[in-house]
Amino acid sequence: MKYLDEYRDEAPIRRTAQEIKRIASRRWRVMEVCGGQTHSILRNGIHQLLEGSVEFLHGPGCPVCVTPISFIDRAIAIAGQPGVTLCSYGDMLRVPGSRESLLSARAGGADVRTVYSPLDALLLAQRQPDRKVVFFAVGFETTAPANAMAVLQARRLGISNFLVLSAMVLVPPAIRALLATPEVGVDGFLGPGHVCSVAGSSDYEAIAQDFRVPFVITGFEPLDLMEGVLRLVRQLEAGETCVVNQYSRSVRAAGNLRARQAMNEVLVPEDREWRGIGVIPGSGLTVSPEYRAHDALAAYGMGLPAAEEGNGCIAGLILQGLRKPADCPAFGKNCSPEHPMGATMVSSEGACAAYFAYPSVSPDSLQEVRS
Amino acid sequence: MLGHGSGGKLTRQLICDVFLPAFDNPVLGGMDDQAVLPSPKGKLAFTTDSFVVTPHFFPGGDIGKLAVCGTANDLAMCGARPLHLSASFILEEGLPIEDLRRVADSMRHECEGLGVHIVAGDTKVVPRGACDGLYLSTSGIGELGHGHTISCSGARPGDQILFSGTAGDHGIAVMAAREGIEFETELKSDCAAVWPLVRVLLEKRIEVHAMRDPTRGGVAGVLKEIAESSSVCIRVREAELPVRAEVRAACEMLGLDVLFVPNEGMFVAFVAPHDAERALHLMRAHPLGRNAQIVGEVLAAPAGSVYLRARAGGTRIVDLLPGEMLPRIC
């Protein structure tokens, strides 16, 4: 398969890993921001191949994980209103709110549907004009344009029963918040390839300059990740702090202008709470007053109940790269994907869930059969 | 109508109009409440399964074909030749009779191919909204004609693991049909009865220790079950597991792991090392095993574990899914 197979071929991946090991004069601390990259690193054992030369710190880039409990509670409350169909991406369904998840709300009779795109929800609204269809819009700059386009399309077609519950967030404010935290010891970042495909690289240029830290905007396949790390380690060894684009087959410096226009038309930034981290200024996207008719929060009450993340979960520290899942006494015991105690265990792209799903092993530990 | 499940004239009409013509055989035709069957000499295998798939008709199959193949395959996985099936229908009031005829015809077609008969059945009709159109339960009896036991607990260190085809075809085809997702190429379910291929392996005296068809839970699910039941360690190579390009693309797009996506016409076979190449050759020579591959081997320890050597070179542990497989956001 073009653009897939060539990025999964073991030989160049191993060669690149050897090159990284050859040039690394110390163990560099590399943060991949995006949950999709975390998932790919662990699924493919990239971290094993770079043991000793690179330590991966897993950033806050899983949109499902960072969606605050208050939003989930609100989504469940809206789904319970008469005449409402709530549409959500699949991996939001299992995430526990303060009392239950959308999955258990559905089991209790709420009309909760899994969709693959906001346009599926829009189509549903068109087909059932007597019901309100609320799309639970979760995600970063990657999914925001499609969500904005759905609102634009709803207005164009006069589909007034389509609403968006916006829990969308932006990556750069979160990285700035991270770097402003003194304890966070990141040497360099793998930039989120899909986010940058939409947003471009200018925000990251500014962060690299302000905090004197290198970035390599990186794709998601194993070879992408290896190449991203190699280019980052080269910068680190040379003391450079530039933004390099490894993912040039998808990312342009200016990003995707049409996508950004749609976002800017429909969505406006606001301060937003991140689950496990707290409020990050200017990091949320909400429906602009101009499109209030499609804003579920406006339609169903603005207040978001404050919900406590109790129970001693260290997800916030993990999301900032200050701790690893294994550092948590509850990991794999009281806390698992079936019974997540906090943010990083609730979605398959959260660091804890990825560690749980893909426990790494040393092949040498296998007891070979002697025939 | 509800009356079709009342046990009165309408019930009889449904049986005579739809089921008897489709499942035509002397045992069923006797219209008794039980099937009286000749007793085979050897051991019997007995299994039961329920089918609630939506949509009822999908590319490559339908709920009827699925029910016959699924039950026959459960029998085949211990090396049993399927002999007789029963079929129990729960119908929602308002289900078009034409749909039921299609399902029954499809079942007849599969039964003919396998040389089995549906010898007992039941029909219930429930009010509209009480079920999703049509639920179907089938039970099956099979005959074991070979000497050694083939069981989930039979895998041994040194065994080679063969997979008879391509992973995930059925799950992706049904999901695409259910969600209305269109791809450039048509995804088709692999739904098929695998007994004809299993019979070849047994007739050629291949030393098979364990077999399983990866339905719910996919390839990963059955490997984990066999590792635990047999108290062995299983190592598979991602690069060796055949996956159709269109299935792989659909999984990439939907954020699903093909290891957990169901098949309905494939199986994994744990074969003694000295027979592995011969088994592979036999499988590939058969239409049901054209894409067969040796995908891994059995190690002694750590018992109960499944290790996957990723295409990129790392090794990871594979476990059962925590719950329903949910598509990822990005």
Side-chain angles (χ1 to χ4, degrees), chain B residues 207-223:
Chain B
E207 194 181 323
V208 182
H209 295 150
M211 281 190 291
R212 205 67 193 266
D213 56 335
T215 51
R216 272 179 312 171
V219 171
V222 298
L223 292 178

Side-chain angles (χ1 to χ4, degrees), chain B residues 69-99:
Chain B
C69 294
T71 298
N73 289 348
D74 285 350
L75 294 169
M77 289 302 92
C78 69
R81 177 170 73 95
L83 294 175
H84 310 289
L85 301 181
S86 71
S88 189
F89 293 82
I90 294 176
L91 310 174
E92 184 186 19
E93 193 176 24
L95 177 81
I97 286 283
E98 200 39 51
D99 281 8

Side-chain angles (χ1 to χ4, degrees), chain B residues 276-291:
Chain B
E277 282 300 328
R278 201 161 60 92
L280 182 65
H281 181 75
L282 289 167
M283 276 188 173
R284 286 183 176 170
H286 195 284
L288 288 166
R290 205 175 297 120
N291 298 309

Side-chain angles (χ1 to χ4, degrees), chain B residues 20-293:
Chain B
L20 284 184
F23 305 152
D24 182 34
N25 67 76
V27 181
L28 193 70
M31 297 285 276
D32 283 306
D33 274 348
Q34 68 295 113
V36 177
L37 305 166
S39 179
K41 288 193 183 68
K43 285 184 178 172
L44 285 180
F46 178 54
T47 188
T48 188
D49 210 342
S50 301
F51 299 86
V52 295
V53 66
T54 307
H56 300 138
F57 304 95
F58 46 84
D62 57 71
I63 192 169
K65 180 180 181 182
L66 200 60
V68 171
C69 294
T71 298
N73 289 348
D74 285 350
L75 294 169
M77 289 302 92
C78 69
R81 177 170 73 95
L83 294 175
H84 310 289
L85 301 181
S86 71
S88 189
F89 293 82
I90 294 176
L91 310 174
E92 184 186 19
E93 193 176 24
L95 177 81
I97 286 283
E98 200 39 51
D99 281 8
L100 192 58
R101 273 191 224 284
R102 271 179 75 189
V103 170
D105 280 347
S106 173
M107 293 173 82
R108 175 183 51 78
H109 182 264
E110 288 308 311
C111 286
E112 281 174 359
L114 274 168
V116 302
H117 290 300
I118 293 173
V119 293
D122 182 54
T123 307
K124 294 284 185 295
V125 179
V126 294
R128 203 179 181 91
C131 90
D132 191 7
L134 159 63
Y135 295 156
L136 182 46
S137 283
T138 42
S139 296
I141 295 172
E143 176 184 27
L144 283 107
H146 56 93
H148 68 279
T149 304
I150 297 172
S151 139
C152 238
S153 57
R156 303 172 198 173
D159 280 356
Q160 294 293 292
I161 304 165
L162 282 77
F163 185 54
S164 68
T166 47
D169 297 8
H170 173 76
I172 289 294
V174 169
M175 186 178 237
R178 184 166 52 221
E179 306 293 346
I181 302 168
E182 289 178 10
F183 294 95
E184 282 176 26
T185 53
E186 192 193 39
L187 295 158
K188 275 182 69 175
S189 167
D190 54 309
C191 183
V194 298
W195 166 247
L197 176 53
V198 171
R199 187 178 60 201
V200 169
L201 297 179
L202 299 179
E203 283 175 352
K204 297 292 180 187
R205 304 237 175 261
I206 295 293
E207 194 181 323
V208 182
H209 295 150
M211 281 190 291
R212 205 67 193 266
D213 56 335
T215 51
R216 272 179 312 171
V219 171
V222 298
L223 292 178
K224 182 67 180 170
E225 283 172 26
I226 290 175
E228 285 182 348
S229 296
S230 301
S231 291
V232 293
C233 169
I234 287 172
R235 185 170 57 186
V236 282
R237 295 175 293 277
E238 187 178 36
E240 304 295 330
L241 184 72
V243 182
R244 287 184 197 283
E246 56 268 39
V247 169
R248 189 140 59 100
C251 285
E252 300 284 346
M253 207 184 88
L254 299 171
L256 303 173
D257 188 338
V258 74
L259 278 176
F260 297 95
V261 181
N263 286 98
E264 285 289 349
M266 311 287 176
F267 62 98
V268 289
F270 288 64
V271 173
H274 61 267
D275 270 347
E277 282 300 328
R278 201 161 60 92
L280 182 65
H281 181 75
L282 289 167
M283 276 188 173
R284 286 183 176 170
H286 195 284
L288 288 166
R290 205 175 297 120
N291 298 309
Q293 191 72 271

Side-chain angles (χ1 to χ4, degrees), chain B residues 1-16 31 33 89 91 121-126:
Chain B
M1 288 194 303
L2 274 176
H4 284 109
S6 64
K9 281 185 180 174
L10 284 175
T11 307
R12 199 167 181 85
Q13 192 185 339
L14 186 70
I15 292 168
C16 292
M31 297 285 276
D33 274 348
F89 293 82
L91 310 174
D122 182 54
T123 307
K124 294 284 185 295
V125 179
V126 294

Side-chain angles (χ1 to χ4, degrees), chain A residues 266-298:
Chain A
V266 175
L267 306 166
V268 288
E270 65 170 11
D271 297 352
R272 175 67 56 76
E273 181 199 347
W274 289 49
R275 187 173 185 175
I277 294 177
V279 174
I280 300 177
S283 66
L285 287 172
T286 192
V287 180
S288 79
E290 167 71 12
Y291 290 89
R292 190 182 160 87
H294 297 283
D295 184 358
L297 274 184

Side-chain angles (χ1 to χ4, degrees), chain A residues 32 56 111 184 202 204 224 238 244 252 278 312 317 321 331:
Chain A
E32 85 285 352
F56 284 102
D111 186 4
V184 174
S202 59
Y204 301 87
D224 284 323
V244 173
R252 303 279 171 276
L317 299 172
F331 176 77

